[in-house]
Amino acid sequence: MTSADLPEPDSDELKALLRETEQQVIYRLLYERRDDPPTMTEIEAFYADQAGGAHAQTGRRLRDMYAIFDMKPERRDGVWVYPLRGRATSKPSTTTRRKGISARVRGEVLSSKRCAQCGKTPTDDHVKLEVDHKIPHSWGGTDDIENLQPLCTQCNHDKQAFYSSMDPFEDQIRAATQHKEPHRRIGELLKAFHAADVEAPAQVVSVVASMHQYQDDWQRRMRELRVLGWDYTTSKRKENGRMMSYYRLTAFADWPDGNIRAEIERLKKAKKNPAG
Ligand SMILES: [Zn+2]
């Protein structure tokens, strides 16, 4: 990929691709700083300077550009930066390299005869059940039976729509799922969304928290992060008839050197018995 693919800032070609003035302004900064990509804070400051005022939606405008340009954030020297790499390429299909699920496993997953999300059944509700990956392949999920569940066509469709809205964060989500400790998976995920100035959806946090071992109380794991000096705010809103929760990180700290859970227990105890 060379920057020859990239239109010049303020060119007609660019204006045809990015209709919003704000995106054109952001593009100019990303283009000029291809060798030294800016952080979100720098992008916001640049925009505020150019436009004579800050814009609350800068993060969203930036994300909307992912569909046109290859510019997803990456971590360099401990901070998230936005390198403009070239034009976005359509994603290669992951289905081709999949081994696939055997008929036996498929039969086993569907044997519950009930949608794992809404509970509807083919017999009573005339829904069609499909095999769904709880954690998608692109986030590091496997074809193991533990990662499969039956979903009705409607629930599966809604889930796919939501997950594709998370595509810009695919790399960060997959990176967070790699950690062995649930606190660290949750924390690193929140940090990734924080770096992109986006609220982390509870739905994604719960999936990533349950990656290597199912977490029936991942909210508790989240609260325990506060013991380590982390903090976050929660917001809830109704979207398409469903109540959605989001988290926004407001403080975070380095991970302890040793076992995270042991350190949390130690700090909890120390707080209870300050003398001891
Ligand atoms: Zn369903």
Side-chain angles (χ1 to χ4, degrees), residues 114-121 127-129 150-156:
R114 185 176 287 279
C115 172
Q117 200 157 293
C118 69
K120 286 184 180 167
T121 69
V127 296
K128 188 174 175 292
L129 293 180
L151 284 187
C152 73
T153 316
Q154 184 62 49
C155 287
N156 202 8

Side-chain angles (χ1 to χ4, degrees), residues 50 54 68 103 117 157 164 169 175 182 187 193 196 200 203 233 247-248 253 272:
Q50 298 283 313
I68 302 159
Q117 200 157 293
H157 175 269
S164 54
F169 297 97
F193 276 84
Q203 212 175 327
T233 56
Y247 302 105
R248 194 178 273 279
K272 237 186 256 171

Side-chain angles (χ1 to χ4, degrees), residues 140-159:
T142 66
D143 283 336
D144 295 344
I145 194 156
E146 299 77 37
N147 190 40
L148 302 173
Q149 64 182 355
L151 284 187
C152 73
T153 316
Q154 184 62 49
C155 287
N156 202 8
H157 175 269
D158 292 349
K159 183 180 166 181

